[in-house]
Amino acid sequence: MIQKISSLFSGNEILQKSSVSLLLKITGSIFGYFFLLLVTRNIGPSSWGMYVLFLSVLNISSIFARLGIDTLTLKLVASSNSILNQVKSIYISSVRLVVLFSLIVSCILYLNSNSIAYFIFHNISFSFIIKWISCLLPIFSLICVNENLFRGLKMIKEFAFFQKTSKMLFSVIFFGVFYFVFKIGDTQTAILSYISALVVIFFLSTFLVYKTIISGCFLTFLNSNKMLKQSIPMMMSSSILLLMSWADSLMIGSFIGKYEVGIYNVAVKVALLTSLTLSAVNSISAPRISESYNNNNNLEFRKIVLHTTKTIFFSTIPIIIVIFMFPKYILSFFGDDFLVAKSALLILACSQVINAMSGSVGIILNMTGKEKIFRNILLISLLINIILNLVLIPIYAIEGAAIASATSLIFWNLYSVFYVYKNYGVLTLISFRRE
């Protein structure tokens, strides 16, 4: 077994090419978990719960502020062959639309902050968080556009840094300043740290964008209607995944409270350690899957798919084993309050086993022209997630949310595995047979 794992990783082009992205993701995750430790150990679960609810509302609001325009920016820039004149026109056109829709959504949030706080979170004091989000939304949305510009220009290091590493790095720095220097230790300190980090990241990323495309001449604004016709369908799949990732926290916050949100989210964060390598590997495997499929190279397509699955599985399963062996020990790092999340953590970890065994099924469907099929699978999963959360959270609290999240994740993975096997004849589930 050891020799098999060793031979799998040695000379593995997918793993080697994803090393920079993976390194930055690992660095970002380290800072993210350090930030989590700082908040939970110094301020407590309620503060972390408030921060999670803040993030959930910010991310979901940003869906409607961006309308998939950031994803369209990636597509258009990638197809522009890095011709600066075209890139500049694409970027400025995207910024114009994102600013417009961000301001509209911001105004709606600000004017309805009291109603949202009262009817959704049953806590009128949450209205000031909604107002903060309304002010931050344009900056957050423009950062997303900047990140996808870098990705489209194949500036992978810059993309990976701004996507996650920088957010957590600066959040840790600002938390240290606010808590340890200025002695600000209330429930809003984590939120204030993240807001400060985003402001810095906005200026840094925008400055880098300016340096990158400054020599290009602005041609003209792209047609806004045509852009929206392309961007809104792109928004669907990504927004469904985003909603699934935040639905349980939002509904725990609505049904129970911010303390339980903080407890549950720590279990989610620990379980997500298992998917650390998945996104990095997918970022490299995606173009190779697309190329081999579109060139009708079925042998190469099959080889890449199976090799990617094994890479993901063997890099993930050791983390899952550690979680199953030491759940209480891991949770105790964040404080004794979090030990009650043991059952939720184990439920979530079980679903990650299926996720690891299933391979890059989402990438396969997206890269082979089946993005609408994948969107529909995710939509069904989202409905399953919401319905189960509505039924189970009032009965089983955070364990109910974990069951809902795990069930929806397992459903879309296994259904996608079945669809890929039925249509392409490739079983992506992990296999130990020699190919």
Side-chain angles (χ1 to χ4, degrees):
M1 175 64 73
I2 295 175
Q3 281 187 336
K4 189 174 184 66
I5 295 174
S6 177
S7 64
L8 174 69
F9 283 93
S10 61
N12 188 336
E13 181 187 359
I14 293 176
L15 193 62
Q16 290 173 355
K17 285 190 175 183
S18 63
S19 59
V20 175
S21 175
L22 177 59
L23 180 61
L24 286 169
K25 286 178 181 294
I26 291 174
T27 304
S29 294
I30 290 171
F31 281 116
Y33 285 101
F34 187 48
F35 183 58
L36 172 59
L37 280 169
L38 283 173
V39 176
T40 54
R41 294 188 73 90
N42 290 291
I43 306 179
S46 293
S47 178
W48 186 254
M50 182 74 80
Y51 169 75
V52 171
L53 290 174
F54 162 82
L55 280 186
S56 63
V57 176
L58 175 62
N59 279 276
I60 291 173
S61 300
S62 183
I63 293 173
F64 303 100
R66 289 176 285 138
L67 291 177
I69 295 164
D70 56 325
T71 308
L72 178 63
T73 301
L74 165 62
K75 177 184 176 181
L76 295 177
V77 169
S79 62
S80 70
N81 296 318
S82 299
I83 300 172
L84 286 180
N85 294 348
Q86 294 181 23
V87 171
K88 196 168 187 176
S89 296
I90 293 165
Y91 177 75
I92 294 176
S93 300
S94 298
V95 166
R96 181 179 68 161
L97 285 174
V98 167
V99 168
L100 172 63
F101 289 110
S102 294
L103 291 175
I104 292 172
V105 176
S106 293
C107 289
I108 294 171
L109 283 175
Y110 191 90
L111 295 174
N112 294 279
S113 58
N114 289 337
S115 299
I116 294 171
Y118 180 77
F119 289 107
I120 296 179
F121 300 104
H122 312 295
N123 186 351
I124 195 66
S125 64
F126 197 73
S127 62
F128 78 96
I129 299 293
I130 306 295
K131 290 175 181 176
W132 280 8
I133 292 170
S134 68
C135 296
L136 189 65
L137 190 58
I139 288 177
F140 181 78
S141 300
L142 287 172
I143 289 172
C144 294
V145 176
N146 291 346
E147 290 169 358
N148 279 283
L149 175 71
F150 297 140
R151 192 178 183 185
L153 290 171
K154 298 179 178 64
M155 298 168 65
I156 302 301
K157 289 184 291 185
E158 291 80 359
F159 164 69
F161 175 75
F162 284 111
Q163 185 190 38
K164 183 172 184 179
T165 308
S166 61
K167 294 183 179 73
M168 293 297 96
L169 169 62
F170 289 119
S171 292
V172 168
I173 292 172
F174 280 111
F175 184 88
V177 172
F178 293 139
Y179 184 79
F180 296 106
V181 178
F182 294 107
K183 308 299 181 183
I184 303 173
D186 56 27
T187 55
Q188 290 82 49
T189 307
I191 296 173
L192 184 59
S193 302
Y194 189 77
I195 290 174
S196 303
L198 286 183
V199 172
V200 171
I201 291 164
F202 169 72
F203 285 111
L204 286 177
S205 62
T206 303
F207 176 71
L208 183 56
V209 168
Y210 175 76
K211 284 189 63 178
T212 303
I213 65 176
I214 187 174
S215 59
C217 298
F218 177 67
L219 299 177
T220 183
F221 285 114
L222 304 185
N223 186 286
S224 297
N225 290 331
K226 288 183 178 179
M227 289 184 70
L228 290 172
K229 284 181 180 178
Q230 295 181 70
S231 69
I232 291 176
M234 290 181 176
M235 176 188 74
M236 296 299 291
S237 292
S238 60
S239 63
I240 293 169
L241 279 171
L242 191 61
L243 286 168
M244 273 200 292
S245 66
W246 292 110
D248 43 8
S249 294
L250 275 175
M251 296 176 81
I252 291 172
S254 179
F255 282 115
I256 311 175
K258 61 186 179 183
Y259 178 87
E260 287 76 10
V261 172
I263 296 291
Y264 174 74
N265 186 258
V266 167
V268 172
K269 292 288 186 184
V270 174
L272 286 178
L273 275 170
T274 59
S275 61
L276 188 61
T277 58
L278 189 145
S279 58
V281 172
N282 282 346
S283 66
I284 300 303
S285 64
R288 296 188 64 206
I289 289 172
S290 177
E291 181 183 6
S292 59
Y293 177 81
N294 289 308
N295 290 333
N296 295 316
N297 191 340
N298 293 329
L299 184 63
E300 181 69 11
F301 173 75
R302 177 184 175 85
K303 179 181 177 182
I304 293 168
V305 167
L306 297 178
H307 206 178
T308 300
T309 300
K310 289 182 179 181
T311 300
I312 292 170
F313 179 78
F314 283 113
S315 61
T316 298
I317 204 65
I319 303 173
I320 296 175
I321 292 172
V322 171
I323 290 174
F324 275 112
M325 290 179 66
F326 309 106
K328 285 189 174 182
Y329 182 75
I330 295 170
L331 290 170
S332 68
F333 272 105
F334 306 98
D336 291 340
D337 288 341
F338 295 93
L339 293 175
V340 297
K342 175 188 171 183
S343 297
L345 172 59
L346 294 178
I347 292 168
L348 293 168
C350 286
S351 67
Q352 290 299 329
V353 174
I354 304 299
N355 192 29
M357 292 178 64
S358 301
S360 303
V361 282
I363 292 294
I364 294 168
L365 293 175
N366 277 327
M367 292 296 106
T368 57
K370 298 294 189 296
E371 57 275 355
K372 290 183 179 179
I373 298 295
F374 186 52
R375 179 198 64 197
N376 293 339
I377 294 172
L378 291 178
L379 184 58
I380 296 171
S381 299
L382 176 61
L383 293 174
I384 291 172
N385 187 295
I386 291 173
I387 292 170
L388 288 178
N389 272 313
L390 287 170
V391 173
L392 297 177
I393 289 176
I395 303 172
Y396 300 110
I398 62 172
E399 286 80 9
I403 293 170
S405 180
T407 303
S408 61
L409 179 64
I410 291 170
F411 171 81
W412 76 254
N413 268 284
L414 293 184
Y415 193 94
S416 298
V417 166
F418 170 75
Y419 188 91
V420 169
Y421 178 70
K422 182 180 178 181
N423 287 271
Y424 303 126
V426 180
L427 183 62
T428 63
L429 280 174
I430 186 69
S431 171
F432 298 99
R433 295 174 300 171
R434 185 177 298 277
E435 297 296 334

